[in-house]
Amino acid sequence: MAAILGGGLGGLSTGYYLLKNNVISNNNLKLFLVEATNSCGGWIKSIRTKDYIFEQGPRTIRPKGVTGLNTLNMIQDLGLSEHVSPITPEHPAAKNRMIYVNQCLHTLPSNIKSVFQTTQPFSKPLIYAVFYDLRQPQKHMQDDSIYNFVERRFGKEIADYAISPMICGICAGDAKEISVKFLMKTLFEWEQSHGGVMKGFMKSIFRSKSGDTLELSDLARKAQEEKWNVYSIKGGLETFPTALCDHLKNNEVDIQMNSKIEEIDFVDSSTVLLKNDIGEKLQAHHVYSSIPSHSLAKLVEKQHPELAKSLNEIPFVTVAIVNLFFEAQQLITPAFGFLVPPIENSPILGVVFDSCCIPDQNGTVLTVMLGGRWFKERFGDDVTEEQLLSIAMKEVNTILKINIQPSVNNVSILRNCIPQYVIGHYERVDAIRQYIVKNNLPISLVGSSYDGVGINDVIYSAKKQVEDCI
Ligand SMILES: Cc1cc2nc3c(=O)[nH]c(=O)nc-3n(C[C@H](O)[C@H](O)[C@H](O)COP(=O)(O)OP(=O)(O)OC[C@H]3O[C@@H](n4cnc5c(N)ncnc54)[C@H](O)[C@@H]3O)c2cc1C
């Protein structure tokens, strides 16, 4: 028996790769997945009607890099190719990504030409950042915040207006706390080994590229040829975990919903007992945990307090999502949306223009994101959904000049939904995995707490963890 703990994208992908690598059939094993709630997909939740789709969690997936192409391979394999809705480079959502600074929306540079021009709110063309980097001394460090690194190498404006909002958009976090290795591991390594990013970049041109390679599906090849920027899934992103869940069920994986695991008992190096909330004990020879690290900490605390302590050191933030549907079309300029840099001290993190990025919407659909790293200090512990809606509407009114009420709205407070890869994260995860190996614990860690917070990272992490166990 092998067990998967959690039925979010991480757990479902683990099941998919265990089946794909014939780990189950070759070893005559049975596989079961336990999920605390009554549905699979974790944070991926879509509300679908004939007029609009409200995505309460993620909405777009990046097709680039090995991890992005790997997801497209999986999507084709699940028979979902026809559901993919790409955003190509000519699409307004690819060209127009904005930030809100000094009470004004500014479009960020999106092509080579604009790098040589001065674009507000930057006071100089972005190309100056290259010369800035060449003049800065090297600073030897194990890790650093992404904000400090970018400020040191490329200047304060890039850190404030490009990187800080980007970090808000990706993980609702504070760039002053997030590790540089989260997005810029290679650039940081270039600084550490060669004294600067540009110096490292020049040397890398003459070195042969190594790293993971992948056999590409037709869909992945199409994404490369057409240079997709991002893509969404027609009918809502939830279609994706639903297809994965069906795939597992069709391949005799026992999916146990409404079963919350409350304790893990490691008996020996190939026996583990999962105790659920109705007192049942489920036995497995190996468990793949895809639940958030803070949830796993509670389950292992009794037997392994040291492991629990390290797992608890990975912080999480709460995000509020306000989905709005207006019957009127074209209330907004076509664009992906805008982000608000933290120095603006706004109550919102940003707004996604869903009716521009996601197909089949009969009106204007917007999603306002609030809180993240600043949730508690801005809204406290007792903020209501009505208050969040009113804050979101006030900002939509001020920034986008939309002064009509939405026909439909949906507010969700997603408590502790996004892990924060703060300085030292990667070393902490290494230490956690070393503890597991040293103590011969039959457990593998997957999911967004460890190897990347995005959809592609979670899927790729599941693939790697399964392959490592073969
Ligand atoms: C608001 C938001 C927007 C996002 N936007 C994007 C985006 O646009 N693009 C992108 O690539 N990524 C995005 N992400 C990230 C992406 O959603 C996550 O990477 C991914 O969904 C995480 O999947 P997971 O399986 O690791 O975790 P989860 O989705 O948290 O799944 C864990 C599962 O485990 C279950 N569980 C927990 N404890 C137990 C227990 N004790 N027993 C049994 N089951 C348990 C939970 O019920 C849940 O179903 C976004 C995330 C959020 C929150």
Side-chain angles (χ1 to χ4, degrees):
M1 276 282 196
I4 299 170
L5 182 50
L9 199 62
L12 296 169
S13 306
T14 304
Y16 170 87
Y17 286 112
L18 284 168
L19 292 171
K20 199 168 179 61
N21 289 286
N22 297 319
V23 178
I24 305 302
S25 52
N26 285 354
N27 299 296
N28 222 354
L29 284 175
K30 282 213 169 304
L31 177 62
F32 67 93
L33 181 152
V34 266
E35 164 55 42
T37 67
N38 62 2
S39 64
C40 275
W43 293 117
I44 305 179
K45 287 215 170 354
S46 318
I47 299 174
R48 299 163 246 201
T49 73
K50 65 174 183 33
D51 289 326
Y52 59 84
I53 294 171
F54 283 169
E55 294 288 6
Q56 292 170 283
R59 67 208 57 239
T60 50
I61 310 178
R62 280 175 58 81
K64 304 217 170 94
V66 172
T67 61
L69 295 166
N70 177 61
T71 303
L72 286 163
N73 283 356
M74 181 196 258
I75 286 178
Q76 174 168 325
D77 197 31
L78 292 170
L80 290 178
S81 300
E82 297 302 314
H83 287 69
V84 169
S85 171
I87 290 178
T88 50
E90 311 73 45
H91 194 284
K95 288 200 268 191
N96 301 333
R97 286 176 182 257
M98 299 180 285
I99 53 170
Y100 183 68
V101 173
N102 298 330
Q103 278 106 55
C104 214
L105 285 172
H106 304 277
T107 303
L108 288 170
S110 64
N111 55 36
I112 290 288
K113 201 174 133 215
S114 53
V115 170
F116 294 92
Q117 295 163 341
T118 303
T119 330
Q120 289 289 325
F122 301 98
S123 60
K124 294 189 202 82
L126 291 188
I127 189 71
Y128 274 80
V130 170
F131 304 120
Y132 193 85
D133 170 62
L134 288 170
R135 288 201 311 269
Q136 298 312 305
Q138 184 177 26
K139 190 169 177 189
H140 285 291
M141 309 177 85
Q142 284 294 313
D143 197 353
D144 198 359
S145 76
I146 192 161
Y147 183 96
N148 278 352
F149 172 75
V150 171
E151 185 186 26
R152 177 167 75 243
R153 302 285 2 146
F154 304 120
K156 185 167 163 38
E157 282 187 355
I158 307 233
D160 280 330
Y161 299 140
I163 295 307
S164 295
M166 194 196 290
I167 293 293
C168 285
I170 298 174
C171 69
D174 185 348
K176 292 183 175 166
E177 296 172 352
I178 301 295
S179 166
V180 59
K181 298 176 194 174
F182 178 60
L183 283 188
M184 299 188 168
K185 185 164 181 275
T186 307
L187 306 201
F188 181 62
E189 283 168 359
W190 284 343
E191 182 202 41
Q192 295 304 302
S193 330
H194 304 295
V197 174
M198 287 319 292
K199 288 177 194 159
F201 171 70
M202 297 312 282
K203 288 190 181 145
S204 79
I205 294 175
F206 301 105
R207 233 174 288 132
S208 63
K209 285 194 180 133
S210 60
D212 292 355
T213 48
L214 208 62
E215 215 171 286
L216 297 188
S217 61
D218 292 344
L219 187 65
R221 223 170 284 124
K222 190 166 184 256
Q224 276 192 327
E225 282 161 15
E226 295 177 3
K227 299 190 167 60
W228 296 359
N229 191 276
V230 288
Y231 62 96
S232 59
I233 304 282
K234 286 179 198 151
L237 202 64
E238 202 176 326
T239 309
F240 185 12
T242 303
L244 261 175
C245 189
D246 289 344
H247 174 75
L248 301 197
K249 281 184 195 156
N250 294 340
N251 285 281
E252 289 169 28
V253 178
D254 176 13
I255 302 208
Q256 305 182 12
M257 302 282 195
N258 299 308
S259 179
K260 184 172 184 206
I261 299 303
E262 297 200 319
E263 197 182 328
I264 298 182
D265 182 4
F266 295 102
V267 180
D268 56 40
S269 61
S270 60
T271 317
V272 57
L273 294 177
L274 307 178
K275 300 180 190 170
N276 71 13
D277 48 356
I278 53 163
E280 286 172 343
K281 285 185 187 169
L282 311 167
Q283 185 172 331
H285 82 280
H286 193 92
V287 59
Y288 293 86
S289 169
S290 75
I291 64 175
S293 48
H294 58 84
S295 305
L296 179 63
K298 288 193 200 96
L299 311 190
V300 299
E301 194 155 31
K302 216 152 130 193
Q303 244 182 349
H304 293 280
E306 196 185 320
L307 177 60
K309 184 171 173 290
S310 303
L311 289 166
N312 268 327
E313 278 166 1
I314 301 172
F316 279 70
V317 295
T318 296
V319 176
I321 296 290
V322 178
N323 304 108
L324 305 167
F325 170 68
F326 303 87
E327 270 159 34
Q329 309 246 356
Q330 288 156 1
L331 288 176
I332 40 163
T333 317
F336 191 86
F338 67 87
L339 290 163
V340 190
I343 43 161
E344 294 295 303
N345 268 322
S346 165
I348 67 168
L349 299 170
V351 178
V352 183
F353 298 177
D354 292 305
S355 37
C356 184
C357 323
I358 302 175
D360 306 325
Q361 319 251 34
N362 293 323
T364 301
V365 183
L366 303 175
T367 300
V368 186
M369 297 167 299
L370 306 95
R373 174 64 183 85
W374 302 271
F375 192 94
K376 203 175 157 123
E377 70 188 58
R378 290 200 178 136
F379 311 123
D381 289 325
D382 306 320
V383 66
T384 62
E385 291 181 357
E386 291 71 30
Q387 286 167 328
L388 289 165
L389 174 64
S390 145
I391 295 166
M393 280 309 300
K394 186 164 171 266
E395 295 304 310
V396 163
N397 184 322
T398 311
I399 301 171
L400 297 175
K401 317 285 180 241
I402 297 178
N403 45 26
I404 50 172
Q405 286 302 309
S407 315
V408 190
N409 71 72
N410 181 74
V411 184
S412 331
I413 302 177
L414 312 179
R415 301 239 170 243
N416 296 322
C417 62
I418 310 187
Q420 303 291 288
Y421 288 14
V422 294
I423 298 170
H425 173 84
Y426 296 87
E427 293 71 18
R428 181 171 299 119
V429 171
D430 280 350
I432 289 171
R433 288 206 168 108
Q434 275 164 25
Y435 180 98
I436 288 170
V437 171
K438 203 171 123 215
N439 289 276
N440 282 318
L441 305 182
I443 186 168
S444 302
L445 305 179
V446 300
S448 62
S449 303
Y450 311 103
D451 307 313
V453 301
I455 284 175
N456 293 330
D457 306 311
V458 166
I459 294 173
Y460 201 69
S461 162
K463 181 176 194 270
K464 287 279 155 199
Q465 290 304 309
V466 167
E467 287 170 358
D468 279 359
C469 276
I470 297 174

